[in-house]
Amino acid sequence: MSDKLDEARELARTGLERINRTTSVEALDALDSELLGKRSRLTEMRAGLRDADPRERKELGRALNEARHTLDEAVSARREELAAEALRTELLAEGRDLTEALGRARVGHQHPITLTWERLEDVFVGMGFTVEDGPEVETDWFNFEALNLPAAHPARSLWDTLYVDAGEESTERGEVLLRTHTSPVQVRTMLRAAAVGTGPPIYVVCPGRVYRRDTADATHLPVFHQIEGLVVDRGTSMGDLAGTIEEFTKAYFGESLTSRLRPSYFPFTEPSAEVDISQPDGSWLEVGGCGMVHPNVLVHCGLDPEEWSGFAFGFGIDRLAKIRHGISDLRELVANDMRFLEQF
Ligand code: DAH
């Protein structure tokens, strides 16, 4: 009899060890039926109680119940642990926020776009520029008209515009829209300088968010970021523009990269150019446009083109981040995948 008692206790002890060593729910299920199922040694011993000596039946019965209870509890507890582990593995694989699963707070950091934006400001401030900003909800006049793009101008189709229904509030500055570029901040800056009488010289950069009616793909986002540059002074030249862009390229990307200007067209500059930046593999990547501020723009902003001249440029911040960090798909910047963000 005491043999049977020992066996029951031994079954509980070894069973417990094996349960806690399982590494998958499948293995645990198999062990569950092996230890506690219909054909298990425990079940068999329980059935054998009938034939046991009545004096010892009670004690053996209690030992068998205890063993069953212990193993049952252990199986449930292990099942929960394995499920939590499986969830954690799944979350890791999907790159979701694991704050909860890991049970501790993560230390965050700035988003790659913010980092790029601030580095760009630093570089331009180092070159003697100040930083301006303007509203993201603009009017037709600031976004187009003042920039030498009157209502029927065909080049307006270059900017797929999102309009805002401003109802009765519609202004004398025309329809309300989400700015399609940071260029309206040029207009606001020049108007302010002219109005307060300080006038030029103006050396500003204007970083900000812009909007286009566009479908996201690897190289376009409908909501993205630009940094505008504007210089208005006496006797500025295309050479000053090219020199400024080259100096920026070296300061931001390092001495090994260089810039080039390709003839292009923008209504607010004449002449206009596209800005490309060289890649380590010898190819060129377009980052934005530039040119000499069109005299009509100066006039719209209350400045005399006989006295003042200037140059301007507008770069895509997201594109600059893409080049600097070798990001293959711009959509990564808005997908909030931890595996991507953790690299910055
Ligand atoms: N605003 C232009 C765009 O979004 C970029 C640009 C081109 C800005 C030439 C400028 C410029 O200041 O001079 O496509």
Side-chain angles (χ1 to χ4, degrees), residues 159 180-183 186 212 226 228-229 266 268-269 273 288-292 311-315:
W159 293 273
T180 57
H181 48 185
T182 43
S183 302
Q186 287 186 30
R212 304 253 173 109
Q226 291 186 332
E228 192 82 14
F266 295 100
F268 28 90
T269 42
C290 67
M292 302 305 293
F311 61 82
F313 53 87
F315 299 154

Side-chain angles (χ1 to χ4, degrees), residues 182-214:
T182 43
S183 302
V185 192
Q186 287 186 30
V187 177
R188 291 181 174 276
T189 305
M190 285 188 271
L191 277 174
R192 198 177 311 126
V196 298
T198 54
I202 295 170
Y203 288 78
V204 294
V205 287
C206 328
R209 189 182 290 141
V210 300
Y211 303 81
R212 304 253 173 109
R213 242 185 83 184
D214 223 345

